[in-house]
Amino acid sequence: MTAPADPATAADLDAVRDDYLARLEASDETGAVVVALAAIDGGHDPEDVLLDVVAEAQREVGERWAAGTWTVVQEHVATHISERVVAAVSRHRPAPAPTGVGRIAVACLDGEWHGLPARLLAEVLAHHGWEVTFLGSSVPATQVAVHLNTAGPDVVAVSSSLPSRLPAARRLVEACRASGTPILAGGPAFGPDGRWARAVGADGWAPDARAAADLLAGQALVGDDAAVTVDDASREEQAYLHARRGELIGDLAERLRGADPSEELTDDLGHLVDFLAAAVYVADPALLARFVRWISSLTVPHGLTPAEAGRALDELASRLGDSPRTVALLRSEAVRAACAEVGAEGSA
Amino acid sequence: MDSTMPAGGPLPTPPSGMRSLSARVLEGLSEAVVVTGAERPGGTRQIVHAINPAGERLLPGLAAGAPVEHGGHDAFTAVVRGGAEEFEAEVGGRSLVGRGQPLADDSRSGDLLTCWYLRDVTDERRGSRSLHRAQARAQFLAEAGRALHGVLNVERTLRTAATLAAGTLAPTVLVLLADASETVRWVRGEEGARPVPGEIARADLRSAPRLFEAMTGDSPVDPWAAVELADLPVWSAGPPTGHVTVVPVPGTVVRGALVLVTETPLPPDVEDGLPLAQEYAVRVGTALSAAALYREQAHLGEVLQGSLEPPRLPEAVDGLVLGSAYRPARESLRVGGDFYEVLPVTPSGETPFLLGDVCGKGIEAAVLSGRVRQSLHALRLVERDPAALLDLLNAALLDAADLDAAGAAPTMPRFATMVLGDARPTPDGSVRLRLATGGHPPPYVLRADGSVVEVRLSGTLVGALRDGEFGATEVLLRPGDTCLLYSDGVTEARGGPDGRDFYGEERLEGALASCVGAPAQVVCERVLQLLSAWLGGRDHDDVALLALQAPPAVPRGDHA
């Protein structure tokens, strides 16, 4: 169940992944399933196929979308095929019966529709002997609370790709705390080093499915209340931004492009406001700075340009004068440096 | 008290006939005063030089002129020998605080005399100790209440109950729980270790008959010998030694017992009503009963919900690609007024399908949607034609509504809208759809070339009028074409920049057009995702999508 020790085997997997990506590119579900199952029949561990072929290929798909070489529908189709492949692998080589290490519920945060990473984690943990319940994508905290009461799992594992979902993560942490169930967070939403997992009070963080399995096999997860950065003021300013979201997006779009802004622009401005709200929520300017760098790296036709992002941030700072933390964050050194770096310098 | 004392001068010992002023002052003091000093110059033996009546009451046996140790108060004797300045000691079951003050030279011995001012603080100390105990007890019970009631799961509550009690009430704690079943669940908690859960058959309790009595009776059964529980198969590290206390865990739904294993008998702790262990057991019992009740209700809810949720689509149908997406308005309930279903292919080669919406929300709406689906399952046995099926269903719903009215179920919704039909793949790779509608938004067809057309189809609400009229039509899906059925939760979703605009037909058509080339499931997911972006986290009505697709002409793999 560990990474392939034999370099030749690892090289094999690279070849399998290239083959798999070609199938995704051709929207060939049958072919993709055949590639994955053949790799398993050829002696590769199902976990390696799921993580080093399927998950890695999906990462590549995301990069192709970000680079503008794939359309969003192509990305959706690829993800759909990979989901079918995971189901096929799980039917082809079912996980052995649970070994009694524990029961775990795996879910995506409310608003997180990318269910594949959580699904992969569920498969991997099942192969590590866990009794896994996969709750699905975009699971509201209330539904997790119901599951905690009816099923009483030992641990909850939650996955999310977008930091803008961090307020939802905090609601989930609170639901888990109420029942004394530890919660493990994973996925890019929680920052490259998991710092935002601690900021919202998660009891543990893992960068990927293998690390999650290792972490869960070790000591019991224990949170650190001192690391939680969410407080009443940050909740308040985040809620205020959320309530004014539509109005702010409309005003910013009009300022930037006039009366008829593109859908891509309003989508991007929506993300901008959501990431700002999340950064305020966990009190970390680095979250917004990362977003500025990320959105400037995308190639989306009609989307927000770096220069427009800079102007939008200025505009927000001048409109949100009654939210001191939000303004301080917008004018922070980290955000200014990111803007300077991507050519989005404003007067802020 | 210092200010009432003579400042220095030697005290008269023994009292003479003519009592001095200072002696009379001393007699009136409520504080105890004892003057000690060496029996003779340079000697080590300490005698009492003077003692006032308060001193004699506090330290009976001490007498002026007698050696201090004759008083029999060893703790005080030790203090006098040690010459402490301030001390606190237990003397004869009383708590004393005292202060020793050196006096001027005694004229006879030349040695130092010490005057001891003593105060009885037994009551004060007892008061603050009991206050501390009461505070600690209240805190423990409050924390226990919070931890126990945070979870409505029986197993977790049992574990929490054992963990909290282990180390606080006793080093080893066993919590047993009996419900209506033949199994008795238990959790053993040891201080500083993970709780160990297990199950025993109710019959196993025969080895400890009085334990069974404690679990089912109302009053504590006392006293216990550890050996009584030795044969219970719950002690992995050997039978318990020491003292055993058994406290019944009362409850309305389940009952249990708390077994505390301690090295010494538990102190009789009844200062504030019930002993702590009993108070704790009451809280454990309430939490366990709440959890057990919740489990029953949740099971009921789950079974009902399972029967009302849209069933999974058939895994694979030859010549037909299917997709669906569903988001009920109240997500914690996960059932709503929208429903859809694709039935297994019939022997004559058709795949029946259905998507509809009952007028109403929540569980009542879901019950009606269940009734619609079940009625259709039965009606399909006698009728295949979609429009004729709607006529029959209309009559069936109206009859059922009459029955409801007679039985007085006034809040039940009565009407529904729906599109139903069947799909028959043809040998050339197309799919022929027969469609009929009652009051539902007409489906769209996304052609393989990216164009989007609305199917012309209309009809009246189902279950509203005896002479309802239901339109029918046929649609041919060429390879790569997709037919999308949707509920009005899609087009009537309020969102956009100011949250007031409907999503509308035009945006739905645009969303659909952007999905050209995608499999049916991806079409549904993509439309739902675009709709979520439109909603921007706002509340919405139930949303249901069902897509039927003729597979693309060229197998996808051949592009590579």
Side-chain angles (χ1 to χ4, degrees), chain B residues 48-78:
Chain B
V48 177
H49 284 265
I51 183 165
N52 72 349
E56 285 164 351
R57 280 194 298 278
L58 196 55
L59 299 168
L62 282 188
V68 172
E69 69 262 29
H70 285 189
H73 307 294
D74 295 346
F76 182 66
T77 309

PDB file of all heavy atoms in Angstrom, chain B residues 48-78:
ATOM      1  N   VAL B  48       3.327  24.239  80.753  1.00  0.00           N
ATOM      2  CA  VAL B  48       2.344  25.298  80.556  1.00  0.00           C
ATOM      3  C   VAL B  48       2.490  26.276  81.715  1.00  0.00           C
ATOM      4  O   VAL B  48       2.394  25.887  82.875  1.00  0.00           O
ATOM      5  CB  VAL B  48       0.923  24.714  80.516  1.00  0.00           C
ATOM      6  CG1 VAL B  48      -0.121  25.827  80.378  1.00  0.00           C
ATOM      7  CG2 VAL B  48       0.792  23.710  79.379  1.00  0.00           C
ATOM      8  N   HIS B  49       2.761  27.527  81.394  1.00  0.00           N
ATOM      9  CA  HIS B  49       2.872  28.534  82.445  1.00  0.00           C
ATOM     10  C   HIS B  49       1.532  29.166  82.736  1.00  0.00           C
ATOM     11  O   HIS B  49       1.254  29.515  83.873  1.00  0.00           O
ATOM     12  CB  HIS B  49       3.894  29.595  82.051  1.00  0.00           C
ATOM     13  CG  HIS B  49       5.302  29.105  82.193  1.00  0.00           C
ATOM     14  ND1 HIS B  49       6.077  29.328  83.311  1.00  0.00           N
ATOM     15  CD2 HIS B  49       6.076  28.368  81.351  1.00  0.00           C
ATOM     16  CE1 HIS B  49       7.252  28.770  83.146  1.00  0.00           C
ATOM     17  NE2 HIS B  49       7.282  28.161  81.952  1.00  0.00           N
ATOM     18  N   ALA B  50       0.739  29.331  81.716  1.00  0.00           N
ATOM     19  CA  ALA B  50      -0.580  29.921  81.921  1.00  0.00           C
ATOM     20  C   ALA B  50      -1.489  29.465  80.799  1.00  0.00           C
ATOM     21  O   ALA B  50      -1.023  29.179  79.689  1.00  0.00           O
ATOM     22  CB  ALA B  50      -0.496  31.445  81.916  1.00  0.00           C
ATOM     23  N   ILE B  51      -2.786  29.383  81.064  1.00  0.00           N
ATOM     24  CA  ILE B  51      -3.752  29.027  80.039  1.00  0.00           C
ATOM     25  C   ILE B  51      -5.077  29.662  80.426  1.00  0.00           C
ATOM     26  O   ILE B  51      -5.451  29.675  81.603  1.00  0.00           O
ATOM     27  CB  ILE B  51      -3.857  27.495  79.895  1.00  0.00           C
ATOM     28  CG1 ILE B  51      -4.835  27.126  78.756  1.00  0.00           C
ATOM     29  CG2 ILE B  51      -4.251  26.808  81.193  1.00  0.00           C
ATOM     30  CD1 ILE B  51      -4.723  25.676  78.304  1.00  0.00           C
ATOM     31  N   ASN B  52      -5.767  30.222  79.453  1.00  0.00           N
ATOM     32  CA  ASN B  52      -7.051  30.840  79.791  1.00  0.00           C
ATOM     33  C   ASN B  52      -8.176  29.829  79.566  1.00  0.00           C
ATOM     34  O   ASN B  52      -7.953  28.769  78.973  1.00  0.00           O
ATOM     35  CB  ASN B  52      -7.244  32.155  79.021  1.00  0.00           C
ATOM     36  CG  ASN B  52      -7.504  31.930  77.544  1.00  0.00           C
ATOM     37  OD1 ASN B  52      -7.344  30.813  77.061  1.00  0.00           O
ATOM     38  ND2 ASN B  52      -7.897  32.988  76.845  1.00  0.00           N
ATOM     39  N   PRO B  53      -9.400  30.101  80.006  1.00  0.00           N
ATOM     40  CA  PRO B  53     -10.496  29.113  79.888  1.00  0.00           C
ATOM     41  C   PRO B  53     -10.755  28.706  78.444  1.00  0.00           C
ATOM     42  O   PRO B  53     -11.030  27.532  78.181  1.00  0.00           O
ATOM     43  CB  PRO B  53     -11.690  29.874  80.464  1.00  0.00           C
ATOM     44  CG  PRO B  53     -11.107  30.860  81.405  1.00  0.00           C
ATOM     45  CD  PRO B  53      -9.807  31.281  80.804  1.00  0.00           C
ATOM     46  N   ALA B  54     -10.625  29.657  77.497  1.00  0.00           N
ATOM     47  CA  ALA B  54     -10.825  29.292  76.090  1.00  0.00           C
ATOM     48  C   ALA B  54      -9.786  28.264  75.686  1.00  0.00           C
ATOM     49  O   ALA B  54     -10.071  27.324  74.929  1.00  0.00           O
ATOM     50  CB  ALA B  54     -10.730  30.529  75.208  1.00  0.00           C
ATOM     51  N   GLY B  55      -8.563  28.410  76.171  1.00  0.00           N
ATOM     52  CA  GLY B  55      -7.497  27.467  75.885  1.00  0.00           C
ATOM     53  C   GLY B  55      -7.818  26.095  76.450  1.00  0.00           C
ATOM     54  O   GLY B  55      -7.571  25.063  75.810  1.00  0.00           O
ATOM     55  N   GLU B  56      -8.374  26.068  77.670  1.00  0.00           N
ATOM     56  CA  GLU B  56      -8.699  24.778  78.273  1.00  0.00           C
ATOM     57  C   GLU B  56      -9.803  24.064  77.503  1.00  0.00           C
ATOM     58  O   GLU B  56      -9.825  22.837  77.402  1.00  0.00           O
ATOM     59  CB  GLU B  56      -9.127  24.987  79.740  1.00  0.00           C
ATOM     60  CG  GLU B  56      -7.934  25.281  80.639  1.00  0.00           C
ATOM     61  CD  GLU B  56      -8.331  25.865  81.981  1.00  0.00           C
ATOM     62  OE1 GLU B  56      -9.539  26.197  82.155  1.00  0.00           O
ATOM     63  OE2 GLU B  56      -7.456  26.008  82.834  1.00  0.00           O
ATOM     64  N   ARG B  57     -10.721  24.874  76.915  1.00  0.00           N
ATOM     65  CA  ARG B  57     -11.785  24.235  76.139  1.00  0.00           C
ATOM     66  C   ARG B  57     -11.225  23.674  74.823  1.00  0.00           C
ATOM     67  O   ARG B  57     -11.584  22.581  74.395  1.00  0.00           O
ATOM     68  CB  ARG B  57     -12.877  25.268  75.806  1.00  0.00           C
ATOM     69  CG  ARG B  57     -13.850  25.527  76.962  1.00  0.00           C
ATOM     70  CD  ARG B  57     -15.076  26.269  76.462  1.00  0.00           C
ATOM     71  NE  ARG B  57     -14.771  27.581  75.899  1.00  0.00           N
ATOM     72  CZ  ARG B  57     -14.604  28.673  76.658  1.00  0.00           C
ATOM     73  NH1 ARG B  57     -14.714  28.617  77.973  1.00  0.00           N
ATOM     74  NH2 ARG B  57     -14.326  29.826  76.085  1.00  0.00           N
ATOM     75  N   LEU B  58     -10.287  24.437  74.253  1.00  0.00           N
ATOM     76  CA  LEU B  58      -9.761  24.024  72.951  1.00  0.00           C
ATOM     77  C   LEU B  58      -8.778  22.865  73.097  1.00  0.00           C
ATOM     78  O   LEU B  58      -8.738  21.953  72.258  1.00  0.00           O
ATOM     79  CB  LEU B  58      -9.063  25.226  72.289  1.00  0.00           C
ATOM     80  CG  LEU B  58      -8.787  25.136  70.800  1.00  0.00           C
ATOM     81  CD1 LEU B  58     -10.071  24.850  70.040  1.00  0.00           C
ATOM     82  CD2 LEU B  58      -8.179  26.448  70.303  1.00  0.00           C
ATOM     83  N   LEU B  59      -7.967  22.913  74.163  1.00  0.00           N
ATOM     84  CA  LEU B  59      -6.959  21.877  74.358  1.00  0.00           C
ATOM     85  C   LEU B  59      -7.170  21.255  75.738  1.00  0.00           C
ATOM     86  O   LEU B  59      -6.357  21.457  76.661  1.00  0.00           O
ATOM     87  CB  LEU B  59      -5.540  22.477  74.263  1.00  0.00           C
ATOM     88  CG  LEU B  59      -5.197  23.124  72.919  1.00  0.00           C
ATOM     89  CD1 LEU B  59      -3.908  23.932  73.008  1.00  0.00           C
ATOM     90  CD2 LEU B  59      -5.056  22.061  71.830  1.00  0.00           C
ATOM     91  N   PRO B  60      -8.247  20.490  75.876  1.00  0.00           N
ATOM     92  CA  PRO B  60      -8.526  19.925  77.199  1.00  0.00           C
ATOM     93  C   PRO B  60      -7.366  19.029  77.632  1.00  0.00           C
ATOM     94  O   PRO B  60      -6.780  18.337  76.800  1.00  0.00           O
ATOM     95  CB  PRO B  60      -9.810  19.113  76.978  1.00  0.00           C
ATOM     96  CG  PRO B  60      -9.935  18.926  75.508  1.00  0.00           C
ATOM     97  CD  PRO B  60      -9.220  20.061  74.862  1.00  0.00           C
ATOM     98  N   GLY B  61      -7.058  19.071  78.901  1.00  0.00           N
ATOM     99  CA  GLY B  61      -5.939  18.254  79.401  1.00  0.00           C
ATOM    100  C   GLY B  61      -4.729  19.105  79.706  1.00  0.00           C
ATOM    101  O   GLY B  61      -3.900  18.744  80.547  1.00  0.00           O
ATOM    102  N   LEU B  62      -4.619  20.259  79.037  1.00  0.00           N
ATOM    103  CA  LEU B  62      -3.503  21.155  79.364  1.00  0.00           C
ATOM    104  C   LEU B  62      -3.853  21.858  80.682  1.00  0.00           C
ATOM    105  O   LEU B  62      -4.999  22.276  80.875  1.00  0.00           O
ATOM    106  CB  LEU B  62      -3.304  22.209  78.282  1.00  0.00           C
ATOM    107  CG  LEU B  62      -2.589  21.786  76.991  1.00  0.00           C
ATOM    108  CD1 LEU B  62      -2.307  23.027  76.129  1.00  0.00           C
ATOM    109  CD2 LEU B  62      -1.291  21.061  77.300  1.00  0.00           C
ATOM    110  N   ALA B  63      -2.882  21.948  81.529  1.00  0.00           N
ATOM    111  CA  ALA B  63      -3.135  22.632  82.805  1.00  0.00           C
ATOM    112  C   ALA B  63      -1.911  23.437  83.177  1.00  0.00           C
ATOM    113  O   ALA B  63      -0.774  23.031  82.876  1.00  0.00           O
ATOM    114  CB  ALA B  63      -3.441  21.617  83.896  1.00  0.00           C
ATOM    115  N   ALA B  64      -2.150  24.576  83.777  1.00  0.00           N
ATOM    116  CA  ALA B  64      -1.029  25.424  84.180  1.00  0.00           C
ATOM    117  C   ALA B  64      -0.131  24.651  85.122  1.00  0.00           C
ATOM    118  O   ALA B  64      -0.608  23.982  86.046  1.00  0.00           O
ATOM    119  CB  ALA B  64      -1.549  26.697  84.849  1.00  0.00           C
ATOM    120  N   GLY B  65       1.159  24.680  84.890  1.00  0.00           N
ATOM    121  CA  GLY B  65       2.125  24.021  85.729  1.00  0.00           C
ATOM    122  C   GLY B  65       2.457  22.620  85.261  1.00  0.00           C
ATOM    123  O   GLY B  65       3.485  22.062  85.647  1.00  0.00           O
ATOM    124  N   ALA B  66       1.609  22.051  84.368  1.00  0.00           N
ATOM    125  CA  ALA B  66       1.866  20.680  83.917  1.00  0.00           C
ATOM    126  C   ALA B  66       2.647  20.704  82.609  1.00  0.00           C
ATOM    127  O   ALA B  66       2.556  21.666  81.841  1.00  0.00           O
ATOM    128  CB  ALA B  66       0.543  19.948  83.726  1.00  0.00           C
ATOM    129  N   PRO B  67       3.418  19.642  82.372  1.00  0.00           N
ATOM    130  CA  PRO B  67       4.135  19.579  81.089  1.00  0.00           C
ATOM    131  C   PRO B  67       3.151  19.576  79.916  1.00  0.00           C
ATOM    132  O   PRO B  67       2.050  19.053  80.026  1.00  0.00           O
ATOM    133  CB  PRO B  67       4.870  18.234  81.162  1.00  0.00           C
ATOM    134  CG  PRO B  67       4.907  17.890  82.609  1.00  0.00           C
ATOM    135  CD  PRO B  67       3.688  18.489  83.242  1.00  0.00           C
ATOM    136  N   VAL B  68       3.628  20.171  78.827  1.00  0.00           N
ATOM    137  CA  VAL B  68       2.759  20.315  77.657  1.00  0.00           C
ATOM    138  C   VAL B  68       2.280  18.949  77.156  1.00  0.00           C
ATOM    139  O   VAL B  68       1.117  18.758  76.812  1.00  0.00           O
ATOM    140  CB  VAL B  68       3.493  21.081  76.546  1.00  0.00           C
ATOM    141  CG1 VAL B  68       2.686  21.066  75.252  1.00  0.00           C
ATOM    142  CG2 VAL B  68       3.766  22.508  76.968  1.00  0.00           C
ATOM    143  N   GLU B  69       3.216  17.933  77.136  1.00  0.00           N
ATOM    144  CA  GLU B  69       2.828  16.650  76.545  1.00  0.00           C
ATOM    145  C   GLU B  69       1.758  15.943  77.371  1.00  0.00           C
ATOM    146  O   GLU B  69       1.079  15.051  76.855  1.00  0.00           O
ATOM    147  CB  GLU B  69       4.043  15.730  76.342  1.00  0.00           C
ATOM    148  CG  GLU B  69       4.686  15.202  77.605  1.00  0.00           C
ATOM    149  CD  GLU B  69       5.924  16.010  78.011  1.00  0.00           C
ATOM    150  OE1 GLU B  69       5.937  17.227  77.684  1.00  0.00           O
ATOM    151  OE2 GLU B  69       6.837  15.448  78.622  1.00  0.00           O
ATOM    152  N   HIS B  70       1.560  16.347  78.615  1.00  0.00           N
ATOM    153  CA  HIS B  70       0.498  15.719  79.414  1.00  0.00           C
ATOM    154  C   HIS B  70      -0.888  16.035  78.851  1.00  0.00           C
ATOM    155  O   HIS B  70      -1.853  15.352  79.152  1.00  0.00           O
ATOM    156  CB  HIS B  70       0.578  16.189  80.880  1.00  0.00           C
ATOM    157  CG  HIS B  70       1.713  15.524  81.599  1.00  0.00           C
ATOM    158  ND1 HIS B  70       1.914  15.620  82.963  1.00  0.00           N
ATOM    159  CD2 HIS B  70       2.720  14.743  81.143  1.00  0.00           C
ATOM    160  CE1 HIS B  70       2.997  14.938  83.306  1.00  0.00           C
ATOM    161  NE2 HIS B  70       3.505  14.409  82.211  1.00  0.00           N
ATOM    162  N   GLY B  71      -0.940  17.067  78.069  1.00  0.00           N
ATOM    163  CA  GLY B  71      -2.224  17.397  77.449  1.00  0.00           C
ATOM    164  C   GLY B  71      -2.665  16.339  76.442  1.00  0.00           C
ATOM    165  O   GLY B  71      -3.842  16.215  76.127  1.00  0.00           O
ATOM    166  N   GLY B  72      -1.696  15.577  75.936  1.00  0.00           N
ATOM    167  CA  GLY B  72      -2.037  14.514  74.988  1.00  0.00           C
ATOM    168  C   GLY B  72      -2.297  15.016  73.584  1.00  0.00           C
ATOM    169  O   GLY B  72      -2.766  14.279  72.730  1.00  0.00           O
ATOM    170  N   HIS B  73      -2.015  16.310  73.322  1.00  0.00           N
ATOM    171  CA  HIS B  73      -2.213  16.826  71.960  1.00  0.00           C
ATOM    172  C   HIS B  73      -0.878  16.840  71.266  1.00  0.00           C
ATOM    173  O   HIS B  73      -0.135  17.817  71.332  1.00  0.00           O
ATOM    174  CB  HIS B  73      -2.817  18.240  72.021  1.00  0.00           C
ATOM    175  CG  HIS B  73      -4.054  18.294  72.872  1.00  0.00           C
ATOM    176  ND1 HIS B  73      -5.207  17.638  72.527  1.00  0.00           N
ATOM    177  CD2 HIS B  73      -4.314  18.904  74.058  1.00  0.00           C
ATOM    178  CE1 HIS B  73      -6.122  17.850  73.454  1.00  0.00           C
ATOM    179  NE2 HIS B  73      -5.607  18.608  74.406  1.00  0.00           N
ATOM    180  N   ASP B  74      -0.566  15.717  70.605  1.00  0.00           N
ATOM    181  CA  ASP B  74       0.786  15.543  70.054  1.00  0.00           C
ATOM    182  C   ASP B  74       1.153  16.631  69.061  1.00  0.00           C
ATOM    183  O   ASP B  74       2.294  17.106  69.040  1.00  0.00           O
ATOM    184  CB  ASP B  74       0.906  14.165  69.382  1.00  0.00           C
ATOM    185  CG  ASP B  74       0.773  13.052  70.417  1.00  0.00           C
ATOM    186  OD1 ASP B  74       0.859  13.382  71.623  1.00  0.00           O
ATOM    187  OD2 ASP B  74       0.561  11.892  70.017  1.00  0.00           O
ATOM    188  N   ALA B  75       0.189  17.018  68.240  1.00  0.00           N
ATOM    189  CA  ALA B  75       0.503  18.015  67.213  1.00  0.00           C
ATOM    190  C   ALA B  75       0.896  19.345  67.871  1.00  0.00           C
ATOM    191  O   ALA B  75       1.856  20.000  67.438  1.00  0.00           O
ATOM    192  CB  ALA B  75      -0.692  18.222  66.290  1.00  0.00           C
ATOM    193  N   PHE B  76       0.166  19.698  68.948  1.00  0.00           N
ATOM    194  CA  PHE B  76       0.487  20.946  69.634  1.00  0.00           C
ATOM    195  C   PHE B  76       1.828  20.833  70.351  1.00  0.00           C
ATOM    196  O   PHE B  76       2.656  21.752  70.306  1.00  0.00           O
ATOM    197  CB  PHE B  76      -0.631  21.316  70.624  1.00  0.00           C
ATOM    198  CG  PHE B  76      -0.390  22.614  71.340  1.00  0.00           C
ATOM    199  CD1 PHE B  76      -0.379  23.819  70.636  1.00  0.00           C
ATOM    200  CD2 PHE B  76      -0.136  22.646  72.711  1.00  0.00           C
ATOM    201  CE1 PHE B  76      -0.142  25.016  71.281  1.00  0.00           C
ATOM    202  CE2 PHE B  76       0.104  23.853  73.368  1.00  0.00           C
ATOM    203  CZ  PHE B  76       0.094  25.036  72.654  1.00  0.00           C
ATOM    204  N   THR B  77       2.067  19.685  70.974  1.00  0.00           N
ATOM    205  CA  THR B  77       3.352  19.464  71.650  1.00  0.00           C
ATOM    206  C   THR B  77       4.500  19.657  70.661  1.00  0.00           C
ATOM    207  O   THR B  77       5.502  20.307  70.958  1.00  0.00           O
ATOM    208  CB  THR B  77       3.399  18.044  72.234  1.00  0.00           C
ATOM    209  OG1 THR B  77       2.216  17.844  72.997  1.00  0.00           O
ATOM    210  CG2 THR B  77       4.627  17.844  73.107  1.00  0.00           C
ATOM    211  N   ALA B  78       4.327  19.099  69.469  1.00  0.00           N
ATOM    212  CA  ALA B  78       5.393  19.201  68.468  1.00  0.00           C
ATOM    213  C   ALA B  78       5.623  20.651  68.064  1.00  0.00           C
ATOM    214  O   ALA B  78       6.772  21.084  67.896  1.00  0.00           O
ATOM    215  CB  ALA B  78       5.016  18.364  67.234  1.00  0.00           C
TER     216      ALA B  78
END
